Amino acid sequence: MNPTTDASSNARPRRTRHGVTSEVISRTLRRGLDKLAALQEADGSWKGDYGGPMFLLPMYVATCHIARHPIPAARRAEMIRYVRNVQQPDGSIGLHAEGDGCMFTSVLCYVALRLLDVPATDPDLARMRRWIHENGGPLGAASWGKFTLALLSLYDYEGLNPILPELWLLPDALPVHPSKLWCHCRQVYLPMAYLYGMRAAIPADEQIRAIRREIYPQPYESIEWRRHRDTVARADSYNPPTKVLWAANQAMALYEDRHPRATRRRAMEELLDHIRFEDQVTNYIRIGPVNAVLNTLVHHFREPDGEEARRSFVTLDQYIWDGHDGAKMNGYNSTALWDTAFAVQSILATPFADDYLPTLVRAHDYIRDNQVLEDVPHKERYFRHASKGGWPFSDRLHGWPITDCTAEGFKAAVALEPKMARPVPEELLRDAVRLLLSFQNADGGWATYELKRGPDWLELLNPSQVFGAIMVDYSYVECTSACLQALSRARLRFPGFLEAEIARAIRRGETFLRQQQRADGSFEGSWAVCFTYGTWFGVHGLTAAGAKGTDPAVERALSFLKARQNTDGGWGEHHSSCSERRYVKHPESQMVNTAWALSSLVRGGQGATEEARRAAELLIERQDRDGDWPRESIVGVFNKTALINYENYRRYFSIWALAQYARAGRWIPLPHHNP
Ligand code: LAN
């Protein structure tokens, strides 16, 4: 199981030419652990700033404005500070905090600042306006931007391609039925279709008319809206509309112009039923930030002072985060389960875990108490997979289980089990294993929340323009690797339990992973930047399935990494790796990339190499006096183009990699061993 530790030391502690001693590593780890422990929340979890995408905060502000939901003055000031902090020198706002020049987010952020009462004469707004005008104005904003503007009466519904409610009335066996979509895409277009169906918009008052004059380079009344349904600025055109999408839009427009009233009514009822279901099963948190605001608006437009609108605003508050750079809307209601599962595994990888027992007990209880215990009711009717035994990304109240969160939750729970007085009941661990098995796709891989339901060609109908790969829940390297690691752990923990099924699942998963490896030895990651992340999962997945360091696939993966090591010993991968789908160097080494690469080297049996030593040295050197690592570039990503910040990655991944390194090199006398 535990592959290839390649240490050949007998004398310890050792010292290298460069002065890494076991004392130095121990001190680094202890300081890092002290810092990590100090950051633990009262509920036992870790969580952090989950900002980055620049369309979320303005959508929240628009929602509050539409519903006349007050934002306290202090919070408004923090939101304004955030947008100013993220504004690029050319005046624009990027799709994400580190990007530049996106019409969608520049226009929405402009509008948000105005709605937050920043005057049009403000110099930052003047710069933003200039960029918007010079780049063609709001008619070129990506479709979600136009949709949000339409809700505010800053864009005309005639200028939107139809978002047909009737799609939900199609037979659900059809590949274009919404149930075949990736759940995040499905849950965004569901309330959008409802709001589109009712042409929801606030009346244009003086403030709105003023904003129209400011953002449009042409007179608002002169715009021929229908001609601009497909207009999109170059900057917003990562995924330009295909001919297939164009044809589908034409057909839908024909239908929209003469749709039967009764059918529309029936479709709207169907949508509302699905919207309410999502509200109930997530306790109004909703699967993500976008349907959180859109479902809120559905309730507001239906019944402004109703209970559903009121509850929606209460839970929306969870998404707002007071960050070091201002207040933002997070990409999820929290990162708690995910962060806690990794924090635990990093602590356990060090030789000092027993000194942090109270921390581990609290973390364990968070993990135990946030496992999902039930399937949602009527899951077939609402196109939901089983949930029982799974772990979510954030918490049990949110409730949508995710394949790799289940895997990491399981790994953490099993690793903690021997130390805990009240561990996760064995039957619930078995439920997690059953659920993981049920999530495996026909191609052998694992997707994110559900089985892969739609065909790949659905991507040709992706209407978002700014995002890639949103239509289908594909099998991913990361999810597959995490599930393989969990299943191989399950095999040890429960000998004989579902033995044949687990063995077969691991074999098929391993085959999928091997197929994903590129000719250059790398694995492409999808949920963080990018090839260092994917390769970290690739190597850990293959070795969990039984591959040794001498396996050619592992060797090739490590050669890929070694060829990209910087002279300072680190790795730095730029976020454009994700959109360009090739390794792009960051100008500076990044500690998170470095930690993934070092961890891969050690796991693949090359922990005693010069490359590993230099990487470890850099991680040690870059640690702050207080045990933290400095904040560097954002490394999380989704849908190829949008960066999202994982505030704790630099902490637990650095600790974890150094701990693995220390073990492999027998730098520190080891009291016990965790597989
Ligand atoms: C997330 C957050 C968690 C993340 C991991 C578990 C880390 C990953 O391994 C699998 C994918 C997943 C579940 C994921 C997918 C995309 C999400 C949901 C997000 C990055 C958080 C926000 C993002 C969501 C899609 C944002 C809304 C935008 C849309 C295009 C719908």
Side-chain angles (χ1 to χ4, degrees):
M1 237 312 286
N2 198 34
T4 50
T5 35
D6 47 2
S8 54
S9 86
N10 24 38
R12 53 178 126 120
R14 296 192 310 189
R15 171 180 288 277
T16 70
R17 289 175 284 136
H18 296 265
V20 176
T21 62
S22 65
E23 288 80 16
V24 170
I25 301 192
S26 298
R27 190 166 4 100
T28 308
L29 286 175
R30 281 194 182 277
R31 269 201 208 145
L33 289 169
D34 286 344
K35 178 71 188 181
L36 198 60
L39 291 168
Q40 189 178 30
E41 305 278 333
D43 66 6
S45 73
W46 284 265
K47 49 185 149 204
D49 183 315
Y50 203 39
M54 289 311 297
F55 48 95
L56 298 178
L57 181 67
M59 289 182 90
Y60 174 83
V61 172
T63 300
C64 292
H65 180 81
I66 290 168
R68 304 254 167 254
H69 179 82
I71 305 175
R75 171 148 282 172
R76 281 211 307 267
E78 279 298 283
M79 290 176 165
I80 295 166
R81 183 166 78 86
Y82 178 60
V83 178
R84 289 194 205 276
N85 268 325
V86 171
Q87 188 176 23
Q88 298 299 315
D90 66 1
S92 71
I93 303 282
L95 181 65
H96 55 79
E98 294 181 8
D100 47 26
C102 175
M103 188 60 69
F104 165 29
T105 43
S106 298
V107 173
L108 288 193
C109 285
Y110 182 94
V111 172
L113 289 184
R114 293 287 285 120
L115 298 176
L116 291 167
D117 290 335
V118 180
T121 50
D122 178 276
D124 290 335
L125 279 186
R127 285 197 298 137
M128 218 179 276
R129 209 161 49 228
R130 198 171 321 121
W131 187 89
I132 291 169
H133 286 202
E134 279 169 5
N135 289 275
L139 293 176
S143 54
W144 295 15
K146 294 181 175 181
F147 182 83
T148 309
L149 293 175
L151 296 166
L152 291 162
S153 283
L154 291 168
Y155 191 87
D156 195 293
Y157 271 98
E158 274 298 294
L160 292 180
N161 283 308
I163 310 168
L164 289 189
E166 283 81 354
L167 291 179
W168 286 77
L169 298 180
L170 293 173
D172 60 31
L174 288 181
V176 294
H177 185 275
S179 64
K180 299 292 186 291
L181 297 173
W182 183 40
C183 54
H184 274 279
C185 188
R186 177 167 90 235
Q187 293 293 344
V188 165
Y189 281 98
L190 171 67
M192 268 194 189
Y194 194 91
L195 294 162
Y196 178 83
M198 70 187 290
R199 300 293 193 275
I202 53 169
D205 59 9
E206 195 35 59
Q207 185 185 23
I208 293 294
R209 280 195 294 271
I211 298 175
R212 283 178 183 171
R213 287 191 295 273
E214 294 160 27
I215 58 180
Y216 283 92
Q218 60 276 79
Y220 191 78
E221 279 66 32
S222 75
I223 297 169
E224 292 181 56
W225 294 102
R226 255 193 120 110
R227 292 183 41 204
H228 292 290
R229 291 187 176 185
D230 295 314
T231 306
V232 58
R234 197 152 13 96
D236 289 34
S237 202
Y238 174 72
N239 208 342
T242 58
K243 291 217 172 72
V244 188
L245 177 61
W246 183 84
N249 281 332
Q250 299 302 306
M252 290 195 288
L254 277 178
Y255 173 84
E256 181 62 20
D257 288 342
R258 62 210 76 201
H259 65 266
R261 285 253 201 97
T263 317
R264 175 61 44 101
R265 209 173 316 118
R266 207 152 55 79
M268 296 291 275
E269 275 162 25
E270 180 73 12
L271 297 186
L272 189 59
D273 185 39
H274 283 277
I275 290 167
R276 286 189 161 142
F277 177 80
E278 164 77 353
D279 292 346
Q280 267 143 32
V281 297
T282 63
N283 296 286
Y284 283 78
I285 297 166
R286 287 68 179 241
I287 192 171
V290 180
N291 77 325
V293 296
L294 296 178
N295 285 14
T296 299
L297 287 170
V298 166
H299 297 309
H300 167 76
F301 279 107
R302 293 191 69 255
E303 200 189 336
D305 299 313
E307 181 59 12
E308 290 169 302
R310 193 196 61 78
R311 283 198 67 179
S312 296
F313 276 105
V314 174
T315 44
L316 265 188
D317 210 50
Q318 293 185 21
Y319 283 90
I320 306 302
W321 182 271
D322 283 305
H324 69 100
D325 48 358
K328 58 197 79 175
M329 185 179 198
N330 274 347
Y332 225 83
N333 68 317
S334 89
T335 59
L337 193 285
W338 185 248
D339 273 338
T340 308
F342 279 137
V344 161
Q345 294 180 73
S346 76
I347 298 171
L348 290 176
T350 72
F352 312 119
D354 287 339
D355 301 341
Y356 295 86
L357 199 55
T359 305
L360 289 173
V361 170
R362 283 199 305 269
H364 170 267
D365 292 355
Y366 184 86
I367 294 173
R368 183 194 60 207
D369 297 342
N370 283 283
Q371 189 179 11
V372 182
L373 302 181
E374 300 285 342
D375 291 349
V376 295
H378 317 293
K379 64 182 170 46
E380 291 80 14
R381 157 89 182 96
Y382 295 99
F383 311 116
R384 288 287 306 267
H385 193 90
S387 307
K388 186 171 178 226
W391 270 279
F393 183 67
S394 53
D395 51 46
R396 180 186 280 170
L397 283 176
H398 176 292
W400 278 81
I402 302 175
T403 58
D404 57 359
C405 298
T406 302
E408 299 301 343
F410 176 87
K411 283 163 61 192
V414 169
L416 285 166
E417 209 180 1
K419 298 183 193 288
M420 297 298 129
R422 289 180 52 225
V424 178
E426 199 174 305
E427 197 46 30
L428 293 181
L429 291 175
R430 290 180 197 256
D431 281 341
V433 176
R434 291 187 192 98
L435 188 72
L436 286 176
L437 291 172
S438 78
F439 271 131
Q440 190 170 28
N441 282 323
D443 64 12
W446 275 263
T448 62
Y449 291 76
E450 292 169 340
L451 287 167
K452 178 173 190 272
R453 298 176 177 183
D456 290 358
W457 59 256
L458 272 183
E459 210 56 51
L460 297 173
L461 293 167
N462 177 348
S464 72
Q465 299 156 337
V466 281
F467 303 116
I470 64 167
M471 300 295 279
V472 178
D473 204 347
Y474 305 93
S475 289
Y476 291 100
V477 167
E478 296 97 312
C479 301
T480 303
S481 166
C483 292
L484 279 178
Q485 294 175 51
L487 289 175
S488 75
R489 197 66 194 75
R491 189 149 61 166
L492 294 180
R493 173 63 186 81
F494 301 116
F497 170 64
L498 294 173
E499 201 173 300
E501 289 84 347
I502 295 177
R504 197 175 110 82
I506 293 178
R507 263 198 320 276
R508 292 173 54 224
E510 181 185 356
T511 306
F512 173 83
L513 268 191
R514 289 184 187 275
Q515 287 162 351
Q516 294 305 301
Q517 188 171 31
R518 293 188 167 200
D520 62 8
S522 69
F523 292 82
E524 182 183 11
S526 294
W527 307 110
V529 180
C530 176
F531 293 93
T532 41
Y533 188 58
T535 303
W536 181 66
F537 274 108
V539 169
H540 280 74
L542 290 176
T543 50
K548 299 279 175 280
T550 49
D551 187 304
V554 176
E555 279 184 344
R556 283 197 297 126
L558 300 193
S559 305
F560 169 86
L561 291 174
K562 286 188 288 185
R564 279 152 193 84
Q565 187 171 28
N566 294 332
T567 48
D568 66 3
W571 279 260
E573 201 179 349
H574 192 260
H575 65 71
S576 43
S577 291
C578 304
S579 52
E580 295 185 19
R581 307 189 68 173
R582 65 182 178 91
Y583 189 95
V584 181
K585 256 193 185 211
H586 193 291
E588 309 281 345
S589 288
Q590 302 290 304
M591 292 313 103
V592 181
N593 295 140
T594 304
W596 290 327
L598 173 58
S599 167
S600 306
L601 290 179
V602 176
R603 182 69 183 176
Q606 300 196 15
T609 55
E610 191 57 14
E611 285 89 347
R613 187 191 55 72
R614 285 168 47 226
E617 226 169 55
L618 186 71
L619 284 171
I620 292 168
E621 187 187 302
R622 290 285 172 88
Q623 188 184 40
D624 295 337
R625 292 179 144 273
D626 75 343
D628 206 346
W629 276 267
R631 184 181 289 116
E632 298 177 312
S633 293
I634 299 182
V635 294
V637 76
F638 58 90
N639 305 119
K640 308 284 175 225
T641 53
L643 289 192
I644 188 157
N645 178 41
Y646 287 81
E647 191 70 10
N648 293 311
Y649 274 12
R650 65 183 193 271
R651 302 173 177 132
Y652 50 66
F653 284 130
S654 299
I655 293 173
W656 199 347
L658 281 173
Q660 285 175 304
Y661 175 73
R663 252 179 217 295
R666 303 202 207 294
W667 287 96
I668 305 167
L670 302 176
H672 66 304
H673 185 75
N674 279 305

